[in-house]
Amino acid sequence: MHQNINMPIAEDGVRGRILDAAREEFSQRGFEASSVRAISDSASVTPAMINYYFGGKRALYEAVIVDAQARLHSRLGVAVADGPTAANLAGAYFDFLAEEPQMQRLLLREMLDGGVERFPELLRPLRALLTQHFGGDAGLQRALSLFGAIAGYFIYEPVLGELLGEDPLSSDALARRRSHIIALSKKIEEFES
Amino acid sequence: MHQNINMPIAEDGVRGRILDAAREEFSQRGFEASSVRAISDSASVTPAMINYYFGGKRALYEAVIVDAQARLHSRLGVAVADGPTAANLAGAYFDFLAEEPQMQRLLLREMLDGGVERFPELLRPLRALLTQHFGGDAGLQRALSLFGAIAGYFIYEPVLGELLGEDPLSSDALARRRSHIIALSKKIEEFES
DNA sequence: AACCGTTCTAAACAAGTGTTTAGACCGAAG
DNA sequence: CTTCGGTCTAAACACTTGTTTAGAACGGTT
């Protein structure tokens, strides 16, 4: 379970406080529903500072996304370096979502709101990996199932609490889920569709 | 591929037009980002009519959700009647999402915005089915993988176009995906985690 | 014809939105 | 000390939001 890729989630100073508050607010409420004043309040800053540092609400949002995308890519990069097996890719994706559940929400919202048009770079490396290592239609079907199974856990997370009898994001539950996913990834590789 | 459950998606008259426009707008933009005026315009109606018929924006949204929830439940009901196998449940869920892609977006947004607190009835039958037919932790893990794999296809749908080389919601692509899901559901049942 | 409740409209309302402005503050350089 | 560029604030800006209001139009009943 890799962590501490050298791309800190936080940043010092006012700019960093704004970025942190924005990531939290955007992931919780979505872009439109988030208010600049709520973000600035939570960062202990004047609303005008957001325009001073970022140029506007939209630009701030894009900064948050680009920030997330950089961390996802770096994570996938080291996974491929470790050997581009389905299990490694699945593990890297799982860890990314597990360690930054905010990001799962944020990326999901972005996908719902803007498709993939708005940030074409966002999933490009992921797509490249998929076509490279899960070629053909059958391979693609398997990849979709695997990555869906990974994402599904975090998407349905709010509902899973009483189903699992424990916090789905607790390290115990996550470890259990992760090992199931790894096993699934191996099982799915030898699966002819 | 069942369809035409006797619960029409449309309704006649002004109230029905508003409901249709609201479902479209809410699923496309989310609750907060949707504007009452946009909905009323698209329904060829005065904004005031929304309050006249529904009592407000929030109440209109709840009407849309309750409407969706009714159709989902009825769909799961007939699947269970057909025999509560994993394949039947998976197929019913797949068909619901395939035939009403709006609903996938709407339910996903609702889950992101409000967890499950806001409409506790929404996923209750689905949860009951899960605990009933996928008992124990291992069974739950399998169910999560299966339903994640189903939902994942529709969630990532905007990205899948160029990956699949065809419209992911075309009947060909859907049929191919569905048969893979059914096969997966059978494979996953005999899978010890 | 006069009355009625229902349906609908146009206009206004207060509150909140993102953004801009004018200027204060402050530490460092000349 | 003065000046200057960067940082920051309070107030105002124009605009959109959801909702309310007063009343018109309509169709059916007495």
Side-chain angles (χ1 to χ4, degrees):
Chain A
M1 214 181 292
H2 301 97
Q3 59 180 6
N4 202 17
I5 314 282
N6 61 0
M7 186 89 57
I9 197 174
E11 197 178 319
D12 286 352
V14 174
R15 208 190 120 98
R17 286 212 314 275
I18 296 178
L19 214 50
D20 287 344
R23 177 172 36 244
E24 179 66 23
E25 175 85 0
F26 283 139
S27 76
Q28 220 73 23
R29 307 199 191 286
F31 174 75
E32 304 267 10
S34 295
S35 104
V36 167
R37 279 173 178 83
I39 295 174
S40 62
D41 279 3
S42 137
S44 305
V45 148
T46 307
M49 295 312 294
I50 285 177
N51 286 28
Y52 179 72
Y53 277 102
F54 294 90
K57 184 191 183 185
R58 175 110 246 150
L60 171 59
Y61 178 71
E62 291 177 7
V64 171
I65 293 275
V66 166
D67 193 51
Q69 143 183 332
R71 285 202 304 288
L72 172 59
H73 290 183
S74 123
R75 218 174 259 276
L76 290 176
V78 314
V80 173
D82 278 8
T85 65
N88 272 345
L89 292 177
Y93 191 53
F94 184 91
D95 292 342
F96 173 71
L97 298 182
E99 287 168 32
E100 307 186 25
Q102 287 178 327
M103 283 307 154
Q104 163 72 355
R105 304 169 66 91
L106 200 70
L107 297 184
L108 210 51
R109 286 189 188 279
E110 177 54 29
M111 196 114 68
L112 282 170
D113 290 341
V116 83
E117 319 272 310
R118 232 150 43 176
F119 298 93
E121 289 301 306
L122 193 56
L123 293 178
R124 197 180 47 82
L126 191 54
R127 282 195 308 221
L129 285 175
L130 287 184
T131 49
Q132 198 171 345
H133 301 292
F134 298 85
D137 183 70
L140 213 52
Q141 296 288 347
R142 291 199 296 269
L144 287 176
S145 296
L146 180 55
F147 282 82
I150 295 171
Y153 184 80
F154 297 98
I155 291 168
Y156 292 134
E157 174 255 316
V159 207
L160 295 182
E162 48 183 293
L163 230 53
L164 291 170
E166 67 181 330
D167 175 17
L169 299 184
S170 75
S171 55
D172 272 13
L174 282 176
R176 202 152 31 242
R177 184 62 187 164
R178 191 181 200 277
S179 75
H180 173 85
I181 287 294
I182 297 299
L184 181 69
S185 74
K186 285 167 184 159
K187 195 81 178 177
I188 250 179
E189 262 183 320
E190 69 198 38
F191 174 81
E192 62 275 273
S193 96
Chain B
M1 216 181 286
H2 301 98
Q3 58 182 6
N4 201 18
I5 315 282
N6 61 0
M7 186 90 57
I9 198 171
E11 197 177 319
D12 285 352
V14 175
R15 207 190 119 99
R17 285 213 315 276
I18 296 177
L19 214 50
D20 287 344
R23 179 173 34 244
E24 179 65 23
E25 175 85 357
F26 284 140
S27 76
Q28 219 74 22
R29 308 199 191 286
F31 174 75
E32 304 267 10
S34 293
S35 104
V36 168
R37 279 174 177 83
I39 295 174
S40 63
D41 279 3
S42 137
S44 306
V45 149
T46 307
M49 295 313 293
I50 285 178
N51 287 25
Y52 179 74
Y53 277 102
F54 294 90
K57 184 190 182 185
R58 172 112 248 148
L60 171 58
Y61 178 71
E62 290 177 7
V64 170
I65 293 276
V66 165
D67 192 51
Q69 143 183 331
R71 284 202 305 285
L72 172 58
H73 291 183
S74 124
R75 217 173 261 275
L76 289 176
V78 315
V80 172
D82 278 7
T85 63
N88 271 346
L89 292 177
Y93 192 53
F94 183 92
D95 291 342
F96 173 71
L97 298 183
E99 286 169 33
E100 308 186 24
Q102 286 179 326
M103 284 306 155
Q104 161 74 355
R105 304 168 67 90
L106 200 70
L107 297 183
L108 210 51
R109 286 190 189 278
E110 177 53 29
M111 195 114 68
L112 280 170
D113 290 342
V116 83
E117 320 272 309
R118 232 148 45 174
F119 297 93
E121 290 300 306
L122 193 55
L123 293 177
R124 198 179 49 81
L126 191 53
R127 283 195 307 221
L129 284 176
L130 287 184
T131 49
Q132 198 172 344
H133 302 293
F134 298 86
D137 182 71
L140 213 52
Q141 296 287 348
R142 291 199 296 269
L144 287 176
S145 297
L146 180 55
F147 282 82
I150 296 171
Y153 184 80
F154 297 97
I155 291 167
Y156 294 134
E157 173 257 313
V159 208
L160 295 183
E162 46 182 297
L163 231 53
L164 292 170
E166 68 181 330
D167 176 17
L169 299 183
S170 74
S171 54
D172 273 13
L174 282 175
R176 202 151 32 239
R177 183 62 187 165
R178 191 181 199 278
S179 76
H180 174 84
I181 287 294
I182 297 299
L184 180 69
S185 75
K186 285 168 183 159
K187 195 79 181 178
I188 248 178
E189 262 184 320
E190 70 198 36
F191 175 82
E192 62 274 272
S193 98

